[in-house]
Amino acid sequence: MRINKLLLSSFLIALGFAATAQNTSKVSFGLRGGFDYRNINGKDQNGDDLKFDMVPRFNGGLVVEIPLAKDFFVQPALLYATKGGKADGNYLGLPASAEFKLGYLEMPVNFLYKPQLGNGKLLLGFGPYIALGVGGEVEYSSNGNSTTDKIEYTNEYSDANPFDPRYIKPLDYGGNILFGYQFAGGFSAQLNAQLGLAQIKANNLLDPSSQVEFKNTGFGISLGYMF
């Protein structure tokens, strides 16, 4: 809980910097898109670590770079990001293999260190993110057949089924780190990793003792262009 409060405080402080920073040069705007491998970590109903497989996902959207001091920037972004994971077999009491496809409107706020390196700039960054669930589905597969249920974003639900994968909390948050290079023409490439700290599995009011816990995590590569 202390880590979560610290993360949210850092997010608000970062937004404050973005709003009040005295520019040493012009603010830059750009686009970013990337490919990720995502997973869901956490605990099953017995309190053991989840055994989900990674799945390919993507993200893309707008970024803003605001200078703070020489070589230091704050970079808010507004992205559409897909996340999830895959459970095989009858794991967690699921009737078949299940793949979670979660869609989020996400706002990371990263602090960047961009020293000159050759004709371009090195990119080193870290910061918090916050995301709101806006869509998604769970796809079940068994014996060559597949069915889907839409994700329902809610903090609580009532269901006789002790585990229903459709119900996900709408709020996700965590931290990012990144490493990359921005070329002289404005194009950039970066490696990034994300660790979710929010427990996103909704609480079943009919089974308050359930220990099932979901947390988003992932890593990937992104390409960008600053105008």
Side-chain angles (χ1 to χ4, degrees), residues 91-218:
Y91 191 57
L92 284 170
L94 292 167
S97 298
E99 183 174 345
F100 293 81
K101 302 176 181 181
L102 309 177
Y104 289 91
L105 191 62
E106 180 172 293
M107 185 176 181
V109 181
N110 291 314
F111 293 97
L112 293 181
Y113 176 54
K114 294 178 57 176
Q116 191 75 30
L117 182 63
N119 293 327
K121 294 185 177 182
L122 182 68
L123 301 177
L124 296 173
F126 71 96
Y129 78 87
I130 191 167
L132 182 67
V134 294
E137 62 185 23
V138 185
E139 181 177 315
Y140 309 98
S141 300
S142 179
N143 299 322
N145 299 316
S146 63
T147 59
T148 59
D149 281 337
K150 288 186 178 180
I151 294 293
E152 297 186 32
Y153 287 101
T154 179
N155 289 316
E156 299 175 335
Y157 69 102
S158 298
D159 197 313
N161 181 354
F163 174 78
D164 193 319
R166 294 175 297 167
Y167 299 105
I168 300 293
K169 292 182 178 180
L171 184 64
D172 181 32
Y173 55 86
N176 301 302
I177 57 172
L178 65 91
F179 169 79
Y181 189 79
Q182 181 174 313
F183 299 92
F187 287 97
S188 64
Q190 67 184 48
L191 300 174
N192 40 267
Q194 187 175 86
L195 178 64
L197 297 179
Q199 200 295 91
I200 62 168
K201 183 68 186 74
N203 302 319
N204 187 352
L205 298 178
L206 298 184
D207 186 23
S209 63
S210 174
Q211 301 185 64
V212 176
E213 180 180 282
F214 284 3
K215 293 183 179 181
N216 284 312
T217 187

Side-chain angles (χ1 to χ4, degrees), residues 9-22 66 68 74 76 109 111:
S9 296
S10 299
F11 185 81
L12 294 174
I13 291 171
L15 288 179
F17 272 120
T20 62
Q22 297 296 318
I66 303 170
L68 299 176
V74 61
V109 181
F111 293 97

Side-chain angles (χ1 to χ4, degrees), residues 14-91:
L15 288 179
F17 272 120
T20 62
Q22 297 296 318
N23 292 349
T24 58
S25 62
K26 68 177 183 178
V27 173
S28 299
F29 298 86
L31 301 173
R32 195 184 91 186
F35 173 84
D36 300 318
Y37 275 106
R38 305 293 312 193
N39 207 347
I40 296 176
N41 294 337
K43 304 290 184 181
D44 64 18
Q45 64 268 43
N46 299 315
D48 298 324
D49 291 340
L50 287 180
K51 299 175 183 178
F52 280 20
D53 295 327
M54 305 192 80
V55 291
R57 293 293 184 263
F58 69 90
N59 68 80
L62 306 173
V63 298
V64 181
E65 271 188 16
I66 303 170
L68 299 176
K70 179 177 171 56
D71 296 336
F72 289 91
F73 299 78
V74 61
Q75 186 189 75
L78 184 62
L79 309 173
Y80 179 72
T82 58
K83 308 181 183 185
K86 186 176 183 180
D88 286 321
N90 294 322
Y91 191 57

